[in-house]
Amino acid sequence: MMSQMTNPSAIAREFVQTGRCASCPIIDMHGHLGPIGEIYLPAAPVEKMRRALLRAEVRKIVCSPHQALFSHPDGGNRLMQETIDRYPDTFLGYWAVNPNYPEAVRRAGKDISQARGFVGFKCLPDYHAHPITGAGYAPALEVANERRMLVLVHTWGGSGFDSPQMLAEVAQRYPNATFLMGHSGYGDWEAAVRAAHDLPNVYLELTAVYVAHDFGNQPGGSGTPLPFLSCLHVNGIIEHMVERASSGKIVFGTDMPWYSPHYAAGAVLFARITEEDRRNILYRTAEKLLARSGGA
Amino acid sequence: MNIHDCNCCFGDAARPPFRYARTAEELIAEMDFCGIQRALAYHAGMRFDSPVVWNDRLVEEIRGFSPLGATWAILPSQTGEQRKPEEFLAAMRSAGVRALRAFPDEHRCRLDKRTFGDLLPLLVERRIPLLVKQNILSIGDLLKEIPGLVVVAMNVGPHSLERYLRPLMDEFPNLYVETSHYMVEGLIEESCVRYGPGRLLFGSGYPDVCSGAALLRLAQADIPPDARAAIAGGNLERMLEAARP
């Protein structure tokens, strides 16, 4: 299939032929675990998810379970720990924090220090209806700042909870923490790219960036308290990010068990960028970040 | 393997993507970059400007580019913008167009029997496929009214819509799914198990999304080679051969 393609990328060619590239593995910085109420995910069982990851040479994935994000975080964080302990070669974790459970956020620093394989925190402001700049996240962000940890924040253009502008504000408030801008502030690309370019501790994260979100086409819309911004076309966005922010400020992500690793990788492999850019996005930048935060 | 893309487009729009094909020639260059041999194309103007202008312009602009086949977008006939159905189909036949598209949201109309009752029965009779980009529940309502219509649901996703989609797939054997937005892990594989590979049609979604994404997804789907070949182009080509405009 696709044997006649003129794409000169040797990495792309190997992926097309074999589904992976031994010299260019993938590190996925945005994953989840388990089923979710709002949609059906065939790869929700962890064995199925892991099999799909291995088929695409995803060597590591950093996850926060749906259960930690859509119920009390404690149960889901425990599930993450069990999964890391079972598959330490594949899974790392983000400790999920939800400001609607302030007592759990207050003890998150102690909890994460006693856990194994967690590299930072996960914040989901749009879904928890709490601004990333608000006091509810502060205890966890202070810990991340003190310990130089990663913080993966769901971000979306135009949001009143986690816009790229708000992410930039907290990134300046906590300069020692490293912020991964989940979905790269989807739709408000310029603000997101500017934040990643200007702030040394802000990175663009690609989950869903390669996806045209037309919520008018989806029964039930975005499923969030405030509707998400749609964006009808995204082709070329990866090139734009590389040009404006550099591939060293971009990490790969899939939301697995949501988006197929091959689909997401295809968007990188067929972008008009260099092989070095592809390597940076698919694993090198993530490797550096994980090494810094103890997850390598 | 023969790859025949049923969902790609070229041309300018008011808010163009970061990178896109302005001309038929540029679209073919993009297809070559990805190893796609043929495409059933439309012009961005048919979706974002007006089919009144761009249906015919598309046929002009792809003339001489053999990898590209034309599709036209439909509008209601009541406003007089589009020719009456028999005349429209005759023009379609003479232009070599074998499939139609509908963009009900972009064109602010309802795709139902009340609005298109003069055209849709003719499409059923002549087995002309209708490629529809719309909320999947509205497509279900359409098929309930006109169950014999051959409908390809476009841009089904990016979230998994299976809880809506599968009851419709179970009920309407003429409902097909285009794969550009069918990107949730495992959906292609489960669809092949449940319905066989005959209900999926490869679409790149270009330039809404990167062509290589849906392509690599299909190339590496965990399905048998003959199923991959059917989705890549066989199903679409069989559908086009059956059409009698």
Side-chain angles (χ1 to χ4, degrees), chain A residues 269-285:
Chain A
L269 297 170
F270 286 81
R272 268 48 163 201
I273 55 179
T274 68
E275 296 286 75
E276 289 306 296
D277 290 329
R278 289 186 227 287
R279 289 181 188 281
N280 285 343
I281 294 170
L282 291 173
Y283 69 97
R284 276 183 184 154
T285 303

PDB file of all heavy atoms in Angstrom, chain A residues 269-285:
ATOM      1  N   LEU A 269       4.160  12.246  10.158  1.00  0.00           N
ATOM      2  CA  LEU A 269       5.018  11.642   9.132  1.00  0.00           C
ATOM      3  C   LEU A 269       4.776  12.220   7.746  1.00  0.00           C
ATOM      4  O   LEU A 269       5.646  12.171   6.888  1.00  0.00           O
ATOM      5  CB  LEU A 269       4.786  10.125   9.106  1.00  0.00           C
ATOM      6  CG  LEU A 269       5.156   9.398  10.399  1.00  0.00           C
ATOM      7  CD1 LEU A 269       4.667   7.962  10.375  1.00  0.00           C
ATOM      8  CD2 LEU A 269       6.659   9.450  10.628  1.00  0.00           C
ATOM      9  N   PHE A 270       3.583  12.761   7.515  1.00  0.00           N
ATOM     10  CA  PHE A 270       3.274  13.336   6.208  1.00  0.00           C
ATOM     11  C   PHE A 270       3.237  14.862   6.241  1.00  0.00           C
ATOM     12  O   PHE A 270       2.823  15.489   5.284  1.00  0.00           O
ATOM     13  CB  PHE A 270       1.972  12.745   5.662  1.00  0.00           C
ATOM     14  CG  PHE A 270       2.148  11.334   5.171  1.00  0.00           C
ATOM     15  CD1 PHE A 270       2.145  10.269   6.055  1.00  0.00           C
ATOM     16  CD2 PHE A 270       2.374  11.078   3.822  1.00  0.00           C
ATOM     17  CE1 PHE A 270       2.348   8.963   5.609  1.00  0.00           C
ATOM     18  CE2 PHE A 270       2.572   9.787   3.374  1.00  0.00           C
ATOM     19  CZ  PHE A 270       2.562   8.719   4.268  1.00  0.00           C
ATOM     20  N   ALA A 271       3.665  15.443   7.360  1.00  0.00           N
ATOM     21  CA  ALA A 271       3.824  16.897   7.408  1.00  0.00           C
ATOM     22  C   ALA A 271       5.089  17.274   6.642  1.00  0.00           C
ATOM     23  O   ALA A 271       6.018  16.475   6.543  1.00  0.00           O
ATOM     24  CB  ALA A 271       3.921  17.368   8.857  1.00  0.00           C
ATOM     25  N   ARG A 272       5.112  18.502   6.096  1.00  0.00           N
ATOM     26  CA  ARG A 272       6.307  18.953   5.345  1.00  0.00           C
ATOM     27  C   ARG A 272       7.312  19.535   6.335  1.00  0.00           C
ATOM     28  O   ARG A 272       7.471  20.757   6.445  1.00  0.00           O
ATOM     29  CB  ARG A 272       5.899  19.991   4.313  1.00  0.00           C
ATOM     30  CG  ARG A 272       5.555  19.470   2.926  1.00  0.00           C
ATOM     31  CD  ARG A 272       4.615  18.311   2.893  1.00  0.00           C
ATOM     32  NE  ARG A 272       4.053  18.167   1.529  1.00  0.00           N
ATOM     33  CZ  ARG A 272       2.944  17.543   1.257  1.00  0.00           C
ATOM     34  NH1 ARG A 272       2.238  16.985   2.230  1.00  0.00           N
ATOM     35  NH2 ARG A 272       2.510  17.462   0.015  1.00  0.00           N
ATOM     36  N   ILE A 273       7.952  18.634   7.074  1.00  0.00           N
ATOM     37  CA  ILE A 273       8.969  19.023   8.053  1.00  0.00           C
ATOM     38  C   ILE A 273      10.155  18.082   7.871  1.00  0.00           C
ATOM     39  O   ILE A 273      10.066  17.097   7.144  1.00  0.00           O
ATOM     40  CB  ILE A 273       8.423  18.942   9.505  1.00  0.00           C
ATOM     41  CG1 ILE A 273       7.856  17.551   9.806  1.00  0.00           C
ATOM     42  CG2 ILE A 273       7.378  20.025   9.745  1.00  0.00           C
ATOM     43  CD1 ILE A 273       7.316  17.371  11.231  1.00  0.00           C
ATOM     44  N   THR A 274      11.247  18.369   8.541  1.00  0.00           N
ATOM     45  CA  THR A 274      12.444  17.546   8.351  1.00  0.00           C
ATOM     46  C   THR A 274      12.365  16.275   9.204  1.00  0.00           C
ATOM     47  O   THR A 274      11.555  16.174  10.139  1.00  0.00           O
ATOM     48  CB  THR A 274      13.710  18.316   8.761  1.00  0.00           C
ATOM     49  OG1 THR A 274      13.668  18.505  10.188  1.00  0.00           O
ATOM     50  CG2 THR A 274      13.800  19.676   8.068  1.00  0.00           C
ATOM     51  N   GLU A 275      13.254  15.337   8.889  1.00  0.00           N
ATOM     52  CA  GLU A 275      13.321  14.108   9.689  1.00  0.00           C
ATOM     53  C   GLU A 275      13.691  14.435  11.135  1.00  0.00           C
ATOM     54  O   GLU A 275      13.192  13.806  12.075  1.00  0.00           O
ATOM     55  CB  GLU A 275      14.361  13.133   9.101  1.00  0.00           C
ATOM     56  CG  GLU A 275      14.023  12.630   7.698  1.00  0.00           C
ATOM     57  CD  GLU A 275      12.893  11.599   7.664  1.00  0.00           C
ATOM     58  OE1 GLU A 275      11.722  12.015   7.834  1.00  0.00           O
ATOM     59  OE2 GLU A 275      13.173  10.421   7.433  1.00  0.00           O
ATOM     60  N   GLU A 276      14.559  15.416  11.323  1.00  0.00           N
ATOM     61  CA  GLU A 276      14.929  15.815  12.688  1.00  0.00           C
ATOM     62  C   GLU A 276      13.706  16.344  13.429  1.00  0.00           C
ATOM     63  O   GLU A 276      13.503  16.065  14.616  1.00  0.00           O
ATOM     64  CB  GLU A 276      16.043  16.871  12.656  1.00  0.00           C
ATOM     65  CG  GLU A 276      17.387  16.324  12.222  1.00  0.00           C
ATOM     66  CD  GLU A 276      17.816  15.120  13.062  1.00  0.00           C
ATOM     67  OE1 GLU A 276      18.022  15.304  14.275  1.00  0.00           O
ATOM     68  OE2 GLU A 276      17.934  14.011  12.509  1.00  0.00           O
ATOM     69  N   ASP A 277      12.885  17.126  12.738  1.00  0.00           N
ATOM     70  CA  ASP A 277      11.649  17.620  13.360  1.00  0.00           C
ATOM     71  C   ASP A 277      10.752  16.452  13.774  1.00  0.00           C
ATOM     72  O   ASP A 277      10.167  16.448  14.862  1.00  0.00           O
ATOM     73  CB  ASP A 277      10.878  18.523  12.384  1.00  0.00           C
ATOM     74  CG  ASP A 277      11.573  19.854  12.131  1.00  0.00           C
ATOM     75  OD1 ASP A 277      12.249  20.344  13.049  1.00  0.00           O
ATOM     76  OD2 ASP A 277      11.428  20.386  11.017  1.00  0.00           O
ATOM     77  N   ARG A 278      10.635  15.468  12.882  1.00  0.00           N
ATOM     78  CA  ARG A 278       9.777  14.315  13.204  1.00  0.00           C
ATOM     79  C   ARG A 278      10.295  13.609  14.461  1.00  0.00           C
ATOM     80  O   ARG A 278       9.526  13.231  15.342  1.00  0.00           O
ATOM     81  CB  ARG A 278       9.773  13.308  12.044  1.00  0.00           C
ATOM     82  CG  ARG A 278       9.027  13.788  10.830  1.00  0.00           C
ATOM     83  CD  ARG A 278       8.932  12.687   9.760  1.00  0.00           C
ATOM     84  NE  ARG A 278       9.289  13.194   8.451  1.00  0.00           N
ATOM     85  CZ  ARG A 278       8.529  13.999   7.718  1.00  0.00           C
ATOM     86  NH1 ARG A 278       7.348  14.389   8.146  1.00  0.00           N
ATOM     87  NH2 ARG A 278       8.942  14.424   6.539  1.00  0.00           N
ATOM     88  N   ARG A 279      11.614  13.417  14.518  1.00  0.00           N
ATOM     89  CA  ARG A 279      12.182  12.747  15.691  1.00  0.00           C
ATOM     90  C   ARG A 279      11.944  13.569  16.963  1.00  0.00           C
ATOM     91  O   ARG A 279      11.615  13.024  18.019  1.00  0.00           O
ATOM     92  CB  ARG A 279      13.685  12.507  15.495  1.00  0.00           C
ATOM     93  CG  ARG A 279      13.989  11.455  14.467  1.00  0.00           C
ATOM     94  CD  ARG A 279      15.490  11.233  14.312  1.00  0.00           C
ATOM     95  NE  ARG A 279      15.766  10.351  13.185  1.00  0.00           N
ATOM     96  CZ  ARG A 279      15.637   9.029  13.236  1.00  0.00           C
ATOM     97  NH1 ARG A 279      15.281   8.454  14.368  1.00  0.00           N
ATOM     98  NH2 ARG A 279      15.866   8.284  12.177  1.00  0.00           N
ATOM     99  N   ASN A 280      12.128  14.870  16.853  1.00  0.00           N
ATOM    100  CA  ASN A 280      11.877  15.718  18.027  1.00  0.00           C
ATOM    101  C   ASN A 280      10.446  15.552  18.527  1.00  0.00           C
ATOM    102  O   ASN A 280      10.195  15.400  19.720  1.00  0.00           O
ATOM    103  CB  ASN A 280      12.129  17.189  17.675  1.00  0.00           C
ATOM    104  CG  ASN A 280      13.603  17.509  17.571  1.00  0.00           C
ATOM    105  OD1 ASN A 280      14.447  16.743  18.047  1.00  0.00           O
ATOM    106  ND2 ASN A 280      13.930  18.636  16.962  1.00  0.00           N
ATOM    107  N   ILE A 281       9.517  15.600  17.587  1.00  0.00           N
ATOM    108  CA  ILE A 281       8.098  15.546  17.976  1.00  0.00           C
ATOM    109  C   ILE A 281       7.722  14.157  18.494  1.00  0.00           C
ATOM    110  O   ILE A 281       7.022  14.026  19.500  1.00  0.00           O
ATOM    111  CB  ILE A 281       7.201  15.928  16.775  1.00  0.00           C
ATOM    112  CG1 ILE A 281       7.429  17.391  16.396  1.00  0.00           C
ATOM    113  CG2 ILE A 281       5.732  15.666  17.093  1.00  0.00           C
ATOM    114  CD1 ILE A 281       6.778  17.794  15.090  1.00  0.00           C
ATOM    115  N   LEU A 282       8.199  13.126  17.802  1.00  0.00           N
ATOM    116  CA  LEU A 282       7.730  11.777  18.137  1.00  0.00           C
ATOM    117  C   LEU A 282       8.356  11.229  19.419  1.00  0.00           C
ATOM    118  O   LEU A 282       7.727  10.447  20.114  1.00  0.00           O
ATOM    119  CB  LEU A 282       7.983  10.829  16.958  1.00  0.00           C
ATOM    120  CG  LEU A 282       7.104  11.107  15.722  1.00  0.00           C
ATOM    121  CD1 LEU A 282       7.533  10.247  14.541  1.00  0.00           C
ATOM    122  CD2 LEU A 282       5.621  10.855  16.021  1.00  0.00           C
ATOM    123  N   TYR A 283       9.617  11.653  19.738  1.00  0.00           N
ATOM    124  CA  TYR A 283      10.169  11.099  20.984  1.00  0.00           C
ATOM    125  C   TYR A 283      11.246  11.943  21.659  1.00  0.00           C
ATOM    126  O   TYR A 283      11.364  11.924  22.882  1.00  0.00           O
ATOM    127  CB  TYR A 283      10.726   9.682  20.752  1.00  0.00           C
ATOM    128  CG  TYR A 283      11.972   9.606  19.895  1.00  0.00           C
ATOM    129  CD1 TYR A 283      13.239   9.524  20.479  1.00  0.00           C
ATOM    130  CD2 TYR A 283      11.887   9.605  18.514  1.00  0.00           C
ATOM    131  CE1 TYR A 283      14.391   9.442  19.689  1.00  0.00           C
ATOM    132  CE2 TYR A 283      13.031   9.532  17.727  1.00  0.00           C
ATOM    133  CZ  TYR A 283      14.272   9.451  18.314  1.00  0.00           C
ATOM    134  OH  TYR A 283      15.393   9.380  17.533  1.00  0.00           O
ATOM    135  N   ARG A 284      12.048  12.694  20.893  1.00  0.00           N
ATOM    136  CA  ARG A 284      13.223  13.296  21.541  1.00  0.00           C
ATOM    137  C   ARG A 284      12.866  14.340  22.597  1.00  0.00           C
ATOM    138  O   ARG A 284      13.448  14.342  23.692  1.00  0.00           O
ATOM    139  CB  ARG A 284      14.113  13.946  20.480  1.00  0.00           C
ATOM    140  CG  ARG A 284      15.049  12.973  19.810  1.00  0.00           C
ATOM    141  CD  ARG A 284      15.930  13.715  18.842  1.00  0.00           C
ATOM    142  NE  ARG A 284      16.784  12.812  18.105  1.00  0.00           N
ATOM    143  CZ  ARG A 284      17.265  13.082  16.900  1.00  0.00           C
ATOM    144  NH1 ARG A 284      16.978  14.241  16.299  1.00  0.00           N
ATOM    145  NH2 ARG A 284      18.047  12.229  16.291  1.00  0.00           N
ATOM    146  N   THR A 285      11.950  15.212  22.275  1.00  0.00           N
ATOM    147  CA  THR A 285      11.585  16.256  23.242  1.00  0.00           C
ATOM    148  C   THR A 285      10.974  15.618  24.488  1.00  0.00           C
ATOM    149  O   THR A 285      11.295  16.006  25.628  1.00  0.00           O
ATOM    150  CB  THR A 285      10.603  17.258  22.598  1.00  0.00           C
ATOM    151  OG1 THR A 285      11.230  17.795  21.421  1.00  0.00           O
ATOM    152  CG2 THR A 285      10.257  18.388  23.545  1.00  0.00           C
TER     153      THR A 285
END
